[in-house]
Amino acid sequence: MTALDLSSPVAVVGTGTMGQGIAQVALVAGHPVRLYDAAPGRAREAAAAIGARLDRLVEKERLTAAGRDAARARLLPVEELTGLAGCVLVVEAVLERLDVKQELLRALEDVVPDDCLLATNTSSLSVTAIGGALRLPGRFVGLHFFNPAPLLPLVEVVSGSATDVTSATRAYETARAWGKTPVACADTPGFIVNRVARPFYAEAFAVYESQGADPATIDAVLRESGGFRMGAFELTDLIGQDVNESVTHSVWRSFFQDARFTPSLAQRRLVESGRLGRKTGRGWYDHADGAERPEPHTADPAVPPAYVIAEGGLGPASELLALIREAGVEVRERDEDGGGTRLVLPGGGKLVLADGRTTAEFRDVVHFDLALDYRRATRIALSHARHTSPAAVAEATGLFQALGKKVSVIGDVPGMIVARTVARIIDLAVEAVAKGVATEDDVDTAMRLGVNYPLGPFEWSRRLGRGWAGELLDELHGIDPSGRCAPSLALHQYACAADKREDTP
C-alpha cells in the first residue's frame, strides 16, 4: 500500500494552530489542500496566515519563490463542507470533544467518497470511540501531529479497534511521504508519547510536593544531569499548565484512575489560580518582562577527599571511577562480600547511587543521582538524611566538585530525581510494548522525536541493565505501597527474559 498520490486533494477541517500546521505540511509536500472551518471567514484567514508563513520560509531560504507561488495556488479555503467532495484524505483538528468530532465526521461521510481516508488529530480522545459513530469505521485513523506540525517530525499513526490495516498503512506511508517520521500505534490512552511521558512530569511534581527540592533545582538536575532538553516545570509552563494537566487527567481517567498516572495536586492549584505558564505570564516561574529566573540550589565549595574506597563497580555509574582518578583523587579498590557497589569516603561516609531507598535507613549514607553521561554532566544531585554527618556530605560534595560538577543537595528523596523518572518511563514503555501498543523501536523513536528525550526508554534500559528499573521501583513501592511507583508485571518479565533462566521451579 503506497502513499496518497500528490495530485489528489486533501482537506483539513479546523483552522486553529494545529489545523494550519497540518495543512502547511500537506501543501509543501505537493498536495492541493482545502481548508474548512465552521466559523465564517476563518478558512480564508487561515489561508492568509499559511501564505504568510510560506513567505517566511522563502526569506529563510527553506522554500523557493516558485515553490511558494505553486503552493499558494494549491491552497483553497471553502465555506461549505460540500467543498471537500472529491478529497482523498480529510484530517479533522477541531475541538477536543467526542460529540463534536463524531457529528463532523458523520457529516463528512455524506460528502466524501467511500474510499476517502478520514483522520483525527486528537491527542486525548479514543480513536475507536470517535470512529464508532461512522458508517465505515475501517477507513478512520488517528494522525497525531505534534505542535508545531511543520517543524516537529513525529506523527503517531493510531489504529482504532475497527481501523483497516490498509487504511493505517496508507496513512503511515502518506505521513512519511510528507517528510515526517511516522510510528504505528494501537489506540490506547495517550497513544505512545503522552502515555510514556507522564512520569517525567509526575516525578518532578512529586519531589516538589514532598519538599525535596524547588522547581529551579529539579529542572536544573533534569537538564544538566539527566540530559533532558528542558525540565518538567519549565516545559509545562511552555505547554500550558491547563493543557498538560488536562492530558494527565485524561490518561488517568482512561486507565480507570490507575495510581501510576495520578495527577498532581500542586499543578491543580496552579491551574485553579490561573497561573497557566508563559501564556498568562506566570506559572511555576514568573514570565513577566524583566522577571529574574530563580537559580537552582548549588552547594558552596567544599574540600575534596584525598581518596575514596571503591567497593564494587558502581553499576551504571562505573565511569565515575575513571573521572575520580583523572581529578587526582586516589581510588582504592576493595572487594565487597555483600555485593555492594559504593564509594567509601575517608570519614567513613558512603556514596551510593540512587536505588529507591531513603538515606534515613542508613548511617552516614549519601545518595547521588543518575546521570545520562557522568563525564558530560555539569550538575549532580546529592541526597542525605537529617542524621547524616555534615562531614560525609561535605566530602561527597567536594568529590563531585573536584570532577568539575555543580552540586545540588536535595532532601531525602528515595530514587532522587533523574533515577526515579527514568525508571518509571522505562516501566511504562515496557508495559506499552507488552500490551501491543507499539514496537520497542517505535517507542524509542516517538520519545526521542516527540518530546526530545536524550535516549529512548529501551536505549536507556539497555545501557542501565534490564533489571535496573524494576529493582529501583521495587524499593520505591516497598516504601510507598500506594501503587504510583509499582513496577508492572511486564517489567518483571522483561528483566527475567534477560537472565535467560532455565531452572524449573
Side-chain angles (χ1 to χ4, degrees):
M1 183 61 67
T2 58
L4 298 173
D5 191 283
L6 289 179
S7 65
S8 303
V10 302
V12 177
V13 179
T15 57
T17 301
M18 186 58 77
Q20 289 182 32
I22 296 170
Q24 181 180 327
V25 169
L27 193 65
V28 171
H31 282 278
V33 175
R34 300 177 190 175
L35 287 175
Y36 172 78
D37 198 292
R42 286 275 180 85
R44 289 194 303 273
E45 293 172 4
I50 293 170
R53 282 198 289 274
L54 295 177
D55 288 339
R56 289 195 289 274
L57 290 179
V58 173
E59 293 170 3
K60 296 177 180 178
E61 298 183 347
R62 295 177 183 172
L63 184 67
T64 66
R68 172 200 58 198
D69 294 343
R72 279 180 167 169
R74 295 194 300 271
L75 183 59
L76 176 65
V78 299
E79 294 298 324
E80 300 292 338
L81 207 59
T82 53
L84 307 185
C87 287
V88 295
L89 167 66
V90 181
V91 183
E92 69 80 13
V94 300
L95 188 65
E96 284 285 270
R97 275 180 42 188
L98 180 62
D99 58 336
V100 172
K101 292 180 184 291
Q102 287 181 328
E103 182 179 355
L104 166 65
L105 290 161
R106 280 195 296 263
L108 278 169
E109 282 199 303
D110 294 334
V111 172
V112 298
D114 285 355
D115 60 352
C116 172
L117 275 177
L118 296 179
T120 176
N121 185 58
T122 186
S123 61
S124 60
L125 298 176
S126 163
V127 171
T128 300
I130 298 171
L134 299 181
R135 175 173 53 85
L136 298 173
R139 51 132 164 219
F140 183 64
V141 66
L143 278 177
H144 181 217
F145 289 78
F146 289 74
N147 193 29
L151 297 180
L152 295 185
L154 185 69
V155 177
E156 293 177 315
V157 181
V158 186
S159 294
S161 296
T163 303
D164 292 335
V165 172
T166 53
S167 298
T169 303
R170 174 157 284 183
Y172 184 98
E173 294 300 333
T174 297
R176 184 155 60 181
W178 290 359
K180 296 302 180 182
T181 303
V183 292
C185 174
D187 185 22
T188 185
F191 309 142
I192 300 173
V193 172
N194 281 330
R195 172 179 179 157
V196 177
R198 294 346 292 165
F200 179 73
Y201 313 106
E203 295 312 305
F205 298 161
V207 173
Y208 169 74
E209 289 175 335
S210 69
Q211 302 292 296
D214 61 277
T217 299
I218 297 169
D219 279 352
V221 172
L222 286 168
R223 290 194 313 270
E224 299 173 40
S225 183
F228 293 96
R229 186 168 297 184
M230 297 181 74
F233 296 89
E234 56 190 343
L235 180 55
T236 52
D237 265 5
L238 176 64
I239 295 170
Q241 298 302 330
D242 53 338
V243 174
N244 181 260
E245 191 206 29
S246 176
V247 173
T248 298
H249 269 269
S250 175
V251 173
W252 176 61
R253 288 192 301 267
S254 296
F255 278 113
F256 308 105
Q257 302 184 5
D258 186 327
R260 294 175 301 163
F261 299 99
T262 301
S264 162
L265 181 59
Q267 187 180 40
R268 175 90 291 264
R269 293 292 180 257
L270 207 63
V271 172
E272 289 173 341
S273 69
R275 293 178 291 173
L276 307 182
R278 292 189 183 184
K279 61 186 176 183
T280 61
R282 181 88 185 196
W284 297 109
Y285 300 109
D286 186 349
H287 299 280
D289 291 340
E292 292 187 8
R293 183 72 173 264
E295 293 293 327
H297 170 75
T298 302
D300 293 332
V303 177
Y307 68 89
V308 295
I309 301 172
E311 295 181 342
L314 295 187
S318 59
E319 64 182 318
L320 278 176
L321 296 178
L323 298 180
I324 293 170
R325 291 187 176 99
E326 291 169 17
V329 177
E330 180 187 357
V331 177
R332 303 174 183 175
E333 298 193 37
R334 181 168 69 196
D335 291 336
E336 173 61 30
D337 294 337
T341 55
R342 61 193 179 188
L343 294 175
V344 181
L345 301 165
K350 301 173 184 65
L351 258 176
V352 179
L353 177 63
D355 57 8
R357 296 179 292 179
T358 67
T359 50
E361 301 175 50
F362 308 97
R363 180 179 178 182
D364 280 357
V365 163
V366 177
H367 278 123
F368 64 95
D369 208 351
L370 181 70
L372 172 68
D373 182 331
Y374 282 99
R375 184 173 292 276
R376 296 183 180 181
T378 57
R379 183 180 298 271
I380 295 293
L382 301 179
S383 174
H384 66 88
R386 293 181 180 179
H387 61 249
T388 305
S389 72
V393 178
E395 285 185 325
T397 300
L399 176 64
F400 280 103
Q401 289 174 341
L403 307 186
K405 317 299 182 188
K406 296 177 182 177
V407 174
S408 291
V409 181
I410 69 172
D412 185 14
V413 178
M416 301 194 67
I417 297 171
V418 179
R420 67 191 287 166
T421 299
V422 171
R424 290 210 56 223
I425 288 171
I426 290 172
D427 180 36
L428 293 189
V430 168
E431 184 185 50
V433 170
K435 293 191 173 181
V437 173
T439 66
E440 290 186 11
D441 286 345
D442 275 357
V443 170
D444 277 354
T445 297
M447 302 314 293
R448 282 189 285 101
L449 299 184
V451 278
N452 290 311
Y453 283 4
L455 292 175
F458 290 94
E459 293 173 311
W460 228 322
S461 180
R462 287 189 290 272
R463 177 183 291 195
L464 297 170
R466 288 169 68 118
W468 175 85
E471 291 170 4
L472 188 144
L473 293 178
D474 275 335
E475 294 288 353
L476 282 174
H477 183 56
I479 295 170
D480 174 16
S482 65
R484 68 176 306 277
C485 293
S488 65
L489 172 61
L491 186 63
H492 173 73
Q493 294 169 328
Y494 174 78
C496 289
D499 294 340
K500 298 179 181 178
R501 297 173 181 172
E502 298 178 0
D503 295 340
T504 57

